[in-house]
Amino acid sequence: MKNCTSLRILDINENFSFGPVPFWMGNTLSGLNVLILRHNQFFGNLPSKICHLPYIRILDLSINMISGTIPTCFYNITELSKGENTATIIHTLNTCQWTNVEVSYHLNDSSGIFGIQKVNIYAYLVWKGLIHKYVQNLALVRSINLSSNKLIGKISVKISQLIRLQSLNLSRNHLNGSIPPMVGHLRLMESLDLSRNHLSGKIPTSFSELNFLSILDLSYDNFSGKVPSSTQLQSFNESTYIGNPELCGPLLLHKCEGDQTKTSIHNGGDVEAQDNEEKYPRLYISIRLCFLTSF
């Protein structure tokens, strides 16, 4: 496979592969657009050679035993960080185009020979928590999935450079630190899962800039403070934030002090009226009786 320099899509998910993540991919398979090693038994650190895949659009290394930190250069992958469109997925077939291929045949009635009718290049991707089969629209997706590994360390502030990224899943690792404040620069983001790590600190207000975000999971971390009051973050339900006992907000069982004060002020008139009637019941009765007697 090292000699397949024209390889564009490599998908060996659930293949019982075992060993370190192949470092040579960054040298000999530099034209890769899609790399899926999901659900195998790869271990060891993420090789920095993966950063030498400038045209990678879809990277799925989830459900393995990969450890160590995420290389800083990881956030500089050209196809995910630059504004211009630099990659094209080649749909031609040759002996070194190892990929998922569906071929439909038809029988020629006159010659009795089978001919190729249709060729589809496809891949199974985890998108918004579900596995989907992508065929024609595969080239439109930009996704990174490193979930269910043993990664440690912080999420680099350089993540804000991945401005073309649409889906990021770093869940079920051992990441710590806070969410970089400039996460709002990822304006094309549709799905973000950072759940079940050891992340802490406040949720950045820049989340309000993620107008396409439809899936968000920040559950079972150590976030604290108030959930920002942006329309974007208030559109998610409590399950998005569950498992963060120091987090508060209108959508959560744990209300912030400011929210409780507003509720008290809003209901203050009713509460005060009820208190007065309990304190001075005889006074109210006397006034009513006097009013009736006069007539």
Side-chain angles (χ1 to χ4, degrees):
M1 191 179 295
K2 290 182 180 181
N3 297 324
C4 296
T5 55
S6 61
L7 191 65
R8 296 294 177 267
I9 303 175
L10 176 59
D11 182 352
I12 54 173
N13 79 90
E14 298 187 39
N15 203 43
F16 302 103
S17 297
F18 179 84
V21 179
F23 68 90
W24 46 263
M25 288 183 179
N27 294 331
T28 60
L29 305 181
S30 59
L32 273 180
N33 298 140
V34 178
L35 176 59
I36 301 176
L37 307 180
R38 182 178 64 248
H39 211 312
N40 284 289
Q41 298 181 48
F42 289 109
F43 58 83
N45 294 349
L46 276 173
S48 59
K49 295 291 185 181
I50 286 186
C51 304
H52 297 173
L53 300 174
Y55 305 120
I56 202 75
R57 296 174 179 226
I58 298 167
L59 179 63
D60 189 346
L61 307 178
S62 63
I63 317 180
N64 281 286
M65 299 178 289
I66 301 171
S67 57
T69 60
I70 302 174
T72 305
C73 63
F74 192 80
Y75 302 103
N76 295 325
I77 296 175
T78 305
E79 180 57 25
L80 300 176
S81 61
K82 302 299 181 182
E84 65 273 11
N85 188 4
T86 57
T88 55
I89 293 182
I90 299 176
H91 287 257
T92 56
L93 296 177
N94 57 50
T95 56
C96 258
Q97 199 89 31
W98 293 61
T99 183
N100 293 330
V101 180
E102 287 179 338
V103 182
S104 300
Y105 297 92
H106 72 279
L107 178 64
N108 190 310
D109 294 333
S110 59
S111 64
I113 299 176
F114 282 96
I116 295 178
Q117 183 178 24
K118 185 179 181 180
V119 176
N120 284 330
I121 296 179
Y122 70 93
Y124 286 99
L125 308 179
V126 177
W127 182 258
K128 298 183 179 180
L130 299 173
I131 297 179
H132 297 276
K133 181 179 180 180
Y134 283 80
V135 185
Q136 301 298 338
N137 53 356
L138 184 62
L140 302 178
V141 180
R142 290 173 176 83
S143 171
I144 293 177
N145 190 346
L146 302 179
S147 65
S148 299
N149 279 290
K150 300 179 180 180
L151 296 171
I152 61 173
K154 304 181 187 301
I155 301 175
S156 172
V157 294
K158 291 188 175 182
I159 192 175
S160 61
Q161 298 177 6
L162 301 177
I163 59 175
R164 306 188 75 193
L165 193 61
Q166 297 166 300
S167 176
L168 176 63
N169 191 342
L170 300 178
S171 66
R172 299 175 185 273
N173 281 288
H174 305 291
L175 300 174
N176 56 36
S178 59
I179 300 176
M182 305 307 289
V183 67
H185 286 183
L186 308 178
R187 292 187 173 88
L188 297 181
M189 186 68 67
E190 298 180 32
S191 177
L192 177 61
D193 190 346
L194 303 177
S195 64
R196 298 180 185 273
N197 280 285
H198 305 295
L199 299 172
S200 59
K202 294 184 178 181
I203 297 176
T205 56
S206 64
F207 265 100
S208 61
E209 301 173 33
L210 304 180
N211 296 322
F212 295 104
L213 191 65
S214 59
I215 300 292
L216 175 65
D217 194 345
L218 303 179
S219 63
Y220 297 101
D221 277 295
N222 297 308
F223 296 115
S224 59
K226 184 177 181 179
V227 176
S229 57
S230 67
T231 303
Q232 192 66 25
L233 289 178
Q234 297 298 327
S235 64
F236 300 106
N237 58 37
E238 186 181 3
S239 64
T240 297
Y241 311 104
I242 195 171
N244 294 279
E246 298 300 319
L247 202 60
C248 65
L251 298 176
L252 308 181
L253 292 176
H254 183 201
K255 307 299 181 186
C256 302
E257 291 184 7
D259 297 332
Q260 292 174 342
T261 302
K262 290 178 182 178
T263 302
S264 299
I265 294 174
H266 178 72
N267 297 325
D270 297 335
V271 173
E272 184 178 356
Q274 184 178 356
D275 288 344
N276 287 337
E277 191 164 354
E278 290 176 355
K279 287 181 180 179
Y280 309 107
R282 293 181 182 179
L283 178 61
Y284 280 102
I285 293 172
S286 300
I287 293 173
R288 288 168 188 165
L289 286 174
C290 291
F291 180 78
L292 290 172
T293 304
S294 64
F295 285 90

